Amino acid sequence: MRLLLVEDDCALQANLKQHLEDANFGVDCAADGEDGLFLASEYPYDAAIIDVGLPKINGIALIEAMRKRQLDYPVLILTARDSWQDKVAGLDAGADDYLTKPFHPQELLARVKALIRRAAGKASPLLENGPLTINTSAAEVRLGNQLVNLSASEYRLLEYLMLHQGAVQAKTVLIEHLYDQDFDLDSNVIEVFIRRLRRKLDPDNALGLIETLRGQGYRMNCVGKKGKE
């Protein structure tokens, strides 16, 4: 998943970015509302974390501008502990949740994951497709009762495909959602990770989990709908 983090406190921004990346998120950062609006408008995100007290454009105005531009992915606002007015204003502007400072990074992670799941129509942290199960809270993948060992990049790709079962995902879309804006969009990295996932999850294509649609991209099929490359 790819996140937008807009926070003007450099130390807090760096700390949150590290925690989010350790949890397998791709993270783009901005230190003011103006840069945040530019990134929000130019790149696809799965969720945004926005501080209310931003320079140039404050967090409330930033969220309002994002919603006016039809950017409808989930937004979590960060507010001061005693500023209930900011919480109300943020939610009224289009934010989906809020977190008061100071907070524990694990709570931030849990809230962001829940927002992304709900946006994809998945209330539970367990994503299931036949014998394949992902526990998004623990970043754990099982095939039947067997634990599957995936790299961080393989896990990010699989989780995204599972959250969007049945939808065709172009290679460029996958790269844009999984990596930051400096990543080489012409890279064949997605093909490499798709091959690895097939080898680990469905080596004989007995389940037909991940289908290649030539010239279009990839689709996570529901088990029983077998696709061929």
Side-chain angles (χ1 to χ4, degrees):
M1 303 294 107
R2 186 176 178 184
L3 303 178
L4 172 62
L5 172 61
V6 190
E7 169 59 64
D8 64 323
D9 183 320
C10 294
L12 179 58
Q13 182 192 107
N15 181 266
L16 292 179
K17 186 175 190 294
Q18 186 62 59
H19 278 283
L20 292 165
E21 289 179 339
D22 288 346
N24 296 323
F25 287 102
V27 185
D28 294 340
C29 295
D32 61 67
E34 191 174 274
D35 286 345
L37 183 57
F38 171 78
L39 290 175
S41 302
E42 292 294 316
Y43 300 99
Y45 294 103
D46 297 286
I49 303 166
I50 298 175
D51 183 40
V52 170
L54 295 171
K56 297 187 179 180
I57 302 175
N58 68 48
I60 305 301
L62 171 56
I63 295 168
E64 289 176 338
M66 290 168 60
R67 295 316 191 203
K68 286 180 181 178
R69 297 185 184 193
Q70 306 301 311
L71 303 172
D72 59 358
Y73 46 79
V75 173
L76 173 71
I77 56 172
L78 305 179
T79 73
R81 178 175 293 277
D82 58 352
S83 185
W84 64 266
Q85 295 94 336
D86 284 345
K87 300 171 188 174
V88 172
L91 293 171
D92 284 345
D96 300 274
D97 197 2
Y98 64 84
L99 196 57
T100 55
K101 298 178 180 179
F103 53 83
H104 196 284
Q106 289 303 318
E107 182 179 3
L108 176 74
L109 283 172
R111 287 177 179 268
V112 169
K113 289 178 180 179
L115 286 175
I116 292 174
R117 288 198 309 269
R118 287 202 294 270
K122 311 288 185 182
S124 169
L126 295 179
L127 305 178
E128 298 177 302
N129 187 9
L132 179 62
T133 303
I134 298 181
N135 184 331
T136 59
S137 295
E140 183 180 272
V141 178
R142 289 185 178 274
L143 193 62
N145 294 321
Q146 184 177 1
L147 188 66
V148 181
N149 184 28
L150 299 180
S151 70
S153 294
E154 292 165 356
Y155 175 84
R156 284 199 301 269
L157 176 57
L158 179 62
E159 183 184 54
Y160 189 85
L161 291 172
M162 285 282 281
L163 281 168
H164 300 85
Q165 284 184 49
V168 179
Q169 304 293 333
K171 181 179 73 171
T172 53
V173 170
L174 291 172
I175 293 174
E176 286 173 343
H177 276 275
L178 299 174
Y179 299 97
D180 62 36
Q181 70 262 32
D182 297 324
F183 196 84
D184 179 10
L185 293 182
D186 293 326
S187 173
N188 68 349
V189 67
I190 295 298
E191 287 99 326
V192 173
F193 292 141
I194 289 290
R195 286 198 297 269
R196 291 181 184 176
L197 286 175
R198 284 173 172 155
R199 186 167 63 246
K200 292 181 179 182
L201 301 173
D202 193 16
D204 300 323
N205 200 28
L207 298 173
L209 281 172
I210 303 175
E211 179 182 3
T212 298
L213 292 93
R214 294 199 178 280
Q216 298 181 59
Y218 303 97
R219 176 169 59 202
M220 170 65 70
N221 287 320
C222 294
V223 167
K225 297 180 180 179
K226 185 177 179 181
K228 295 182 179 180
E229 184 169 347

